[in-house]
Structures are given as structure tokens and as C-alpha cells.
Amino acid sequence: MDCKNEAACGEVAFTGNVTPILNEIKHALNSLIETGESTTIDLRAMPMAPGEMQQIESLLGTGEVTATINAMGSSTVNESLYAGVWLVTHRNTDDEILGKFIEITRIPSILESQTEDMRGALEALPDLLAENC
Amino acid sequence: MNEVDFLLWVRGPGLAIASIIFVLGMTVKMFEIFMLGRKKNLAELRGSGIKEGFRTIITRSGHVDTYSTRNTRFTHIAGWVFHIGLFTAIFLLAPHIEVFKSIVGFAWPALPTPIIDFATVIAMITMLAMLFHRITNPVLKYLSTGQDFVVWALTFLPLLTGYMAYHHLFFSYTLVLGLHILSVCLLLVFFPFTKLTHAVTLFFARWYNGMMAGEKGVQQ
Amino acid sequence: MADDRTLAEMLRAQGITRRGFLKFCATTASMMALSPAMVPKIAAALENARRPSVIWLSFQECTGCTESLTRSHSPTIEKLIFDVISLDHHHTLMAASGEAVDEALNEAMEENFGKYILIVDGSIPVGNPAYSTVSGISNLDMLKHAAEGAAAIVSVGTCAAYGGLPYASPNPTGAASVEDIIKDKPIINVPGCPPIPVVITGVLAQFLTFGKIPELDSLGRPMAFYGQNIHDRCYRRPFYERGQFAETFDDEGAKKGWCLFKLGCKGPITYNACATTKWNEGTSWPVESGHGCLGCSQPNFWDMGGFYRALSMPTVDLANKAGIGLAAGAAIGVAAGALNRGKKAKAVREHETVTVDDLEKGA
């Protein structure tokens, strides 16, 4: 990173959130495999030093799956380089970040189709069939 | 009164009152002591005594004679350890130096806070040991009065509350900081009226003792 | 006007899918500083929440709190909150003006008597109520009248919560906080100068979701946002622990991001969400930008001894006090000394003897 102010680049002011979070992910992943229990970590609830959030994201990286959801602004759901560890970022219609979560799960529930929406779709399909008959 | 108002009071009117009483009390004491003066020495002087006076201020802190040292070894060592720890905590901690800077206008380098923390713990442990010694040693038990224990508490509380403040123990920081400053106010208020005045009078007392010995031509 | 539909029905009517609703719940939970495990509970609560009427009254204030809220850049949540709540009255934001406003206010209060949420920003001058009036009605009267039918009152900003800037010494207008005046209604204090926007809406969202007052601390602030000390959450804490302090705003220590204690940071006595939630959607906060915490969510923060004087420094001039002590002490000392000399001379003249009791006197 090109920085004039060391403090803003996270090179000197290190609170060490990285190691505890990575450990938490490791434990959660173990729990997921053993018992099937999912865990969600809210990254915005932690006092991050400047540059720490970016460091965590770059350490986790992006793996095989990238998904974008368009509901009240875009949300991105990426599986990291570590299977079962997903990074979910919610944005609003002005593209500002509303929430950042690390989900340790088989698939983040926000990706699944919701029953109510499916019911609504079921109600709308007959109209489609009627049009095209 | 909530804890914020309490903190504001001790940092303002509280410290003001305590400082005035402290300086006033010490000044009155000094005037009283010096204005009474000393009896004129009518004997022929063997030496001027001035040099010996200053020498005694320092030598009295150390070994005097083997017999006395053996009996008072615990108090002697504990005293040194406690005082060094106390002065380290008071004068070498950065937030305290800021207080002195606001009074006298200049500052000096501070020590890393963990070192001060260690010194404070040592000082507190030593104080507890000295209290135990005072209660169990038969001679000290006989000689001790209420004032001795009050003075012990007045000195112990600032160390304890300071430690609690740094480590954010038990209560909210605002309250603990307020209690710490209050304990210092109490120490200042009672200082001139108890044996704590030794902090100042010890220099004059030792000087006079040395001077008297020097005038008699006796080694001190 | 208040609506009888539940929140979920309203969102659905706006074309928001359930997936969108879940996203809303997840980000709301994050905003309310609740654990992600609470999301299903929030979803269930919001599904059945009804749309309350909200009346916002602005008194002796700078409008910074309203600005903070509306200038915030995550309007989806705030927008939804305001779409969801029925903001029936807001001096600055509402389009109407003049008598129509007064009518609308009275109508809203009557229709929803006992059920509306009253939000207040700005302090209330009690010294002379004429210092701040709206439509010829003093803030004091308006507050008392509006409070009668309120289900709960939210004091937004340090001025409404504790008196704020107008309350600072010597308090020329006799400014008072809401809780100084209203004693018989539940009051939630959301202080800050201004409060972090997401905190304002987070508190409203909490009230909306769970329908009751959140857990409050000893100063009436929601524990969710004001439960943690800035100092305990500050990323510069390791420097404080090691005793590495910046001495000026542009020295080496400052550039390295060292602790700002000596430059007046009031972090240790301040409770707010700045260190974790930060400002401008997590961009930064005062300490991260190199300036000490002002303590703006605490009562009396304007009179806390100076923004740039360290917390440990006394708020009075001690050198001056010491001078007074010295002068008075000298005077008394001379008098006492003279008296003592007199006593001593008398004792010598009368050949007084010293007994054991005399020696014990000083002990």
C-alpha cells in the first residue's frame, strides 16, 4: 500500500484482531464438520485498526464461488479459499456497505430461495402460462 | 450526584481545597518550627557543624551501627523499597507528570507504564508487610497509635485506587479515577497535621543532629 | 398517520422479497449491535410489528442531530425506518409550514394519544422560557404538553439528554435536559454531539422490533451502544499500556499513531460506539483520525477541563491555589510563631519545669 501516514495503513498500529478471528473461524469450521452447526461472525462489531479488515479479507481470499444478490442494493456472497468459510457483504442502493459477515456454513441462508417468495412465484406462474397458451 | 459530577468536583474544587490546606498547613508548621529557634550553644565550638549537618542527612539513611541495624533490618529495607516504589509511581508516570507540568510549567521523561505498574505492586505488598509487622511485633504494637494506622491507610489508598484505575478493575473508570483523586486530596489534607510531615522535616532534623555533633567534634 | 398493517406486510407491499427482508434483518441486527444469532428473532418480531406514530420536536439545538441522521449515507436502513415509522411531525424535515404544522401536530398527538414516540433534540431553556419558542409556545410548555400522550421519549443528542452545549458554564439560558423536566415517562437518552447516525436509528429499530425500552445504563443510555468504554475498545490501547504517548499533533509519536492521552483524549471516561461502529459507515472516528476523544456523549463534556488538557490534569489552577495557601500560611505562621516565642519566653522567665506529661503531649 502506498501510504504517507503509517498509522492509517495498519503497518504500525496492530491490534491483533487477525489471529483471534482466524482461530474463531477454525473452531467454527470444526464445529460445522462435527455437528453441522453454522456460525456467523459480525465483522463490524469489532474495533478494527486501520487496514485490518482488508488484511483479513485478503488472507481469506476468494475461492470457487462468487454470487451477487440484488435485493435493496447488491450483496456479494463469496466462498473464501477455505471451503465452508463464506464472506457476505451487504450494500445499499448507493453502494455503501451496510454489513460484513463471515459465515461458516454449507451455504449462507440468504442464497437459498425463500418459501414466501416461492409461494408468490407459484401464484404468478399461472398468469405466465395463460399468456403463452 | 452521578459519577461524572463527582469526578468534576474532585478534579476542581476538591483539589483546590486540598492544595490550599496542604500548603497552608505546611507553611504554618515551618514557621512555627523555625521561629522557635534553638538554644544558644554557649560551649566552645570544636567545628562549625555545617558540613557535618549535610553529611548526616545522607548517612542517617544507611548503616549507623551494627547493633541498631540488626534490630531494625526489616523496617530499614522495607522502608527503602516502599519509598522507592512510591516515588516511582508518583513522579515517573506520564499522566502524573502532566499534573506537575500544569503546576510548575515543566515536565520530565516518563517510564513505561508497565514498570510503574510493577513498582506499585511492590510498594503495596511492602506496605501490607509493614502493617503486619506493626501489628505482630510486640514493641511496635505497644508504641502504635491510631494515627499510625490512619496514615498507613492514607498512603495505601492512592496506590490501590491508582492500580485499579490503570487496570479498569471493579467499577467504571470514571468512578475509580474520581476515587483516586479523592484519596490524594485526603492525603494532602491530613499531611501537615500528621507524621507525614517527616517528608520535609527529616532534612532539617538530620541536619541539626549532624550540626550539633559536628560542633562537639563528634563523628556522626 | 399510523398504519394497521404489520411491518412485513408493508415491506411486501413495497415489492421487497423475503430475501430482501432477511438482508434487512441481518443488517439491522448488526446495527443494533446484536449477535447474528438473533436474526431469526428479529425477523419474527419485525414480521408482527406495527407502525408507530413518531413526533419529533426540536428545541434549543444546532440541528446537527437531524443533519447527522439525514446526511447519513446508508439511507436504505434509515429510509426504511422512516418509511416504516410514521414521522408525523418534524420541524425541519416536514414540507408544511405555518399554522398547518401546528394543526398537524395537535391532530397527531390526539389521534395517537398514549401510543406515539416522542423524539426530542435540543435542550430546554428553563431560566427564561422565552429564550426558545416555536409559534409563540415556549419549548418548556411544548415539551410538557407533548409528553403527556407519549408512550416513550427519546432524547437525541447530548443537549436533550444532559443539557449539552447550552448547559455549559455559566449556562446563560438556564438550559435543562428532558429528564430534568419530565419525570413520569420512560426516557431513552441517545447522547453524542451528534450521535452516530446508525445509533439513532438502531435505538428506534430496537424499540420497533421489541416494542419495549432497551436495557439502559445508569445515565439512561442503551447498553447496546453505550455499554462499552471508548478506552476499552480503542485500537491505540496497546500504546497507552506501553506508555507511548503523542506529545503534539505532528510529532513522531502522532505519526506512528500513538495514544492521545496527553493531547486531551477523554476516551477513558466516555461511553459510546465510536471505536467499533465508527463514523461515515465505518470510515473512521476521531482517534483514528488523530484527534483525542471529546467525550461528547457524557454529561458536562464542555466543562470537563478542556479538550486539549489531559484527563489527569486538575481543572483549576493549582499553582494559584498553592500561592494562596502560602500567603495565608505565612501570615498565620508568623502569628503562631510569635505567640509560641512569647509562651517560651514566659516559661523561661517563670522557670517552668518539663514533666513527663509534657513530653507525652505530642504523641
Side-chain angles (χ1 to χ4, degrees):
Chain A
M1 265 187 277
D2 179 47
C3 309
K4 290 206 187 86
N5 185 337
E6 288 168 28
C9 302
E11 280 166 12
V12 185
F14 207 62
T15 57
N17 272 319
V18 179
T19 316
I21 290 178
L22 290 177
N23 270 314
E24 206 181 327
I25 293 174
K26 192 181 84 166
H27 285 284
L29 196 53
N30 192 33
S31 193
L32 178 64
I33 296 171
E34 304 276 316
T35 66
E37 188 193 339
S38 299
T39 313
T40 309
I41 302 172
D42 183 354
L43 286 174
R44 302 195 92 209
M46 296 168 190
M48 298 279 182
E52 250 190 357
M53 187 89 94
Q54 292 91 308
Q55 189 176 34
I56 292 171
E57 284 181 60
S58 63
L59 282 171
L60 291 175
T62 309
E64 294 176 337
V65 184
T66 311
T68 313
I69 302 176
N70 288 313
M72 306 195 318
S74 79
S75 297
T76 47
V77 182
N78 301 328
E79 192 180 35
S80 72
L81 290 168
Y82 305 89
V85 181
W86 299 76
L87 189 63
V88 179
T89 308
H90 291 300
R91 289 186 176 74
N92 62 9
T93 48
D94 285 327
D95 235 19
E96 273 124 3
I97 298 180
L98 298 176
K100 248 193 217 257
F101 304 89
I102 296 177
E103 288 196 41
I104 297 94
T105 177
R106 285 197 178 277
I107 183 158
S109 50
I110 197 105
L111 280 178
E112 292 177 343
S113 297
Q114 304 297 321
T115 314
E116 275 177 39
D117 299 337
M118 291 193 286
R119 269 196 239 281
L122 194 58
E123 281 173 30
L125 272 175
D127 299 331
L128 192 63
L129 285 164
E131 275 176 40
N132 286 310
C133 260
Chain B
M1 182 190 258
N2 62 37
E3 56 190 31
V4 178
D5 289 330
F6 171 62
L7 177 64
L8 267 175
W9 188 87
V10 287
R11 273 176 84 205
L15 265 179
I17 296 171
S19 307
I20 292 179
I21 295 179
F22 170 68
V23 175
L24 194 148
M26 291 304 285
T27 311
V28 170
K29 258 259 157 32
M30 290 302 112
F31 268 94
E32 283 189 319
I33 293 174
F34 284 106
M35 282 183 73
L36 270 178
R38 302 221 130 224
K39 247 201 320 217
K40 202 153 139 56
N41 188 0
L42 298 170
E44 188 187 319
L45 298 180
R46 296 263 180 95
S48 79
I50 297 176
K51 212 168 23 107
E52 285 79 357
F54 285 112
R55 193 166 155 270
T56 307
I57 294 177
I58 303 183
T59 57
R60 271 289 166 96
S61 295
H63 171 94
V64 176
D65 66 80
T66 318
Y67 181 72
S68 308
T69 313
R70 206 185 329 133
N71 282 338
T72 60
R73 186 163 289 145
F74 173 78
T75 309
H76 197 154
I77 296 177
W80 268 101
V81 172
F82 155 68
H83 279 95
I84 291 177
L86 184 69
F87 293 148
T88 307
I90 295 176
F91 294 106
L92 295 175
L93 180 69
H96 292 167
I97 297 176
E98 291 296 301
V99 179
F100 292 122
K101 188 162 104 170
S102 74
I103 301 173
V104 296
F106 60 88
W108 49 91
L111 279 182
T113 318
I115 295 182
I116 312 285
D117 191 41
F118 179 70
T120 308
V121 173
I122 299 288
M124 286 200 287
I125 292 176
T126 312
M127 282 196 77
L128 288 166
M130 290 198 289
L131 183 68
F132 180 73
H133 183 66
R134 181 179 281 281
I135 296 174
T136 54
N137 180 295
V139 176
L140 285 178
K141 201 158 62 162
Y142 180 74
L143 291 173
S144 299
T145 63
Q147 199 205 98
D148 293 315
F149 297 103
V150 168
V151 165
W152 183 93
L154 285 173
T155 313
F156 190 76
L157 280 175
L159 286 169
L160 180 68
T161 50
Y163 183 82
M164 278 168 63
Y166 176 64
H167 288 279
H168 285 241
L169 287 179
F170 307 130
F171 306 114
S172 77
Y173 186 87
T174 314
L175 183 60
V176 177
L177 186 62
L179 289 173
H180 178 61
I181 300 176
L182 181 68
S183 69
V184 172
C185 287
L186 287 172
L187 180 67
L188 285 174
V189 163
F190 285 103
F191 198 101
F193 312 108
T194 59
K195 64 182 191 178
L196 286 171
T197 52
H198 77 275
V200 176
T201 58
L202 86 93
F203 297 104
F204 311 121
R206 287 181 181 180
W207 192 89
Y208 271 112
N209 272 307
M211 186 199 78
M212 291 191 311
E215 285 180 348
K216 292 196 189 117
V218 170
Q219 193 208 340
Q220 191 23 268
Chain C
M1 297 300 125
D3 208 305
D4 257 348
R5 287 181 293 174
T6 64
L7 177 58
E9 285 164 354
M10 277 177 35
L11 290 177
R12 205 153 197 95
Q14 283 181 7
I16 293 170
T17 61
R18 178 144 179 94
R19 196 182 261 134
F21 177 64
L22 285 180
K23 173 171 165 175
F24 173 68
C25 291
T27 46
T28 302
S30 180
M31 182 176 68
M32 286 201 271
L34 293 171
S35 142
M38 294 280 288
V39 173
K41 241 189 150 183
I42 292 171
L46 279 178
E47 262 161 358
N48 299 311
R50 301 207 176 257
R51 205 179 176 220
S53 167
V54 171
I55 292 173
W56 184 309
L57 296 178
S58 298
F59 295 143
Q60 211 173 20
E61 38 79 42
C62 71
T63 315
C65 295
T66 303
E67 287 287 332
S68 172
L69 185 58
T70 55
R71 216 47 84 243
S72 77
H73 292 291
S74 67
T76 309
I77 298 302
E78 274 80 355
K79 183 172 175 295
L80 269 171
I81 297 287
F82 280 101
D83 283 345
V84 159
I85 64 169
S86 172
L87 188 58
D88 291 329
H89 181 93
H90 190 305
H91 283 137
T92 315
L93 295 179
M94 55 198 297
S97 62
E99 283 173 4
V101 170
D102 299 338
E103 269 176 42
L105 174 61
N106 288 323
E107 222 178 271
M109 288 200 290
E110 273 169 29
E111 262 190 39
N112 302 290
F113 196 85
K115 291 188 293 215
Y116 58 81
I117 302 176
L118 175 63
I119 302 182
V120 177
D121 67 338
S123 63
I124 299 101
V126 166
N128 182 345
Y131 273 121
S132 180
T133 65
V134 180
S135 300
I137 306 171
S138 73
N139 290 167
L140 186 59
D141 288 337
M142 192 173 257
L143 173 65
K144 285 190 187 162
H145 181 56
E148 279 167 26
I153 306 177
V154 182
S155 298
V156 171
T158 309
C159 289
Y162 307 122
L165 172 58
Y167 184 80
S169 172
N171 194 351
T173 61
S177 67
V178 173
E179 61 184 14
D180 282 341
I181 297 167
I182 306 294
K183 305 286 184 189
D184 59 348
K185 293 280 173 178
I187 299 176
I188 305 173
N189 287 326
V190 184
C193 192
I196 299 176
V198 99
V199 168
I200 303 176
T201 43
V203 171
L204 289 177
Q206 253 191 343
F207 193 80
L208 199 71
T209 309
F210 299 110
K212 56 186 175 79
I213 312 286
E215 197 190 339
L216 303 176
D217 71 0
S218 62
L219 286 172
R221 303 174 292 197
M223 291 289 284
F225 298 104
Y226 298 91
Q228 277 294 341
N229 196 289
I230 297 283
H231 187 58
D232 285 340
R233 286 301 208 215
C234 180
Y235 77 95
R236 294 194 182 197
R237 182 71 180 268
F239 297 110
Y240 170 86
E241 302 284 331
R242 287 201 287 269
Q244 286 170 308
F245 301 105
E247 305 275 343
T248 66
F249 281 114
D250 58 358
D251 67 1
E252 275 311 301
K255 292 201 183 104
K256 291 204 182 105
W258 285 359
C259 174
L260 298 166
F261 184 89
K262 287 195 180 180
L263 290 167
C265 180
K266 303 294 182 295
I269 56 163
T270 307
Y271 292 82
N272 207 338
C274 312
T276 47
T277 307
K278 301 195 192 180
W279 290 81
N280 291 320
E281 279 62 57
T283 301
S284 182
W285 59 295
V287 171
E288 192 174 326
S289 301
H291 190 288
C293 168
L294 296 180
C296 77
S297 54
Q298 300 292 119
N300 292 326
F301 80 94
W302 290 97
D303 294 324
M304 206 36 97
F307 291 147
Y308 301 105
R309 284 169 63 86
L311 191 55
S312 60
M313 281 186 172
T315 54
V316 289
D317 183 0
L318 282 189
N320 173 271
K321 303 295 176 225
I324 295 173
L326 194 65
I332 298 175
V334 166
L339 223 86
N340 288 338
R341 283 181 77 96
K343 266 197 243 172
K344 182 169 141 184
K346 182 160 170 274
V348 166
R349 253 198 329 267
E350 294 176 1
H351 300 284
E352 267 178 35
T353 51
V354 178
T355 65
V356 172
D357 295 312
D358 288 324
L359 289 175
E360 294 239 313
K361 253 197 230 152

